[in-house]
Amino acid sequence: LMSMEWEELIPRPSSAFLRVRCRTCESEQIIFSHTTHTITCRTCGEILAEPTGGKAKINGPVLAVLG
């Protein structure tokens, strides 16, 4: 019972690392969900994520949420 109360009291982070696939070249890259910089694909240069002041705008399919 005590551990259940601690789980409710301690907030979990809303941020995570995301595995995103590029829409242009299909390569995969791991990016931070709340990035403060524009993230481009390492292979073709396509913009994968743009900062918005909070959660980033992700421009591609998210394949997995890590961590």
Side-chain angles (χ1 to χ4, degrees), residues 3-67:
S3 65
M4 184 94 163
E5 292 173 14
W6 277 110
E7 290 296 320
E8 293 173 13
L9 291 175
I10 301 170
R12 296 281 167 229
S14 61
S15 59
F17 287 93
L18 309 172
R19 184 184 304 273
V20 179
R21 176 174 285 144
C22 177
R23 292 178 190 248
T24 306
C25 68
E26 300 293 316
S27 67
E28 296 177 9
Q29 192 166 327
I30 296 173
I31 61 175
F32 189 56
S33 65
H34 288 63
T35 186
T36 57
H37 301 310
T38 300
I39 306 294
T40 57
C41 177
R42 288 181 299 221
T43 307
C44 70
E46 180 82 17
I47 295 176
L48 294 179
E50 299 173 85
T52 61
K55 211 166 197 182
K57 179 177 180 256
I58 309 297
N59 299 325
V62 176
L63 304 177
V65 177
L66 313 170

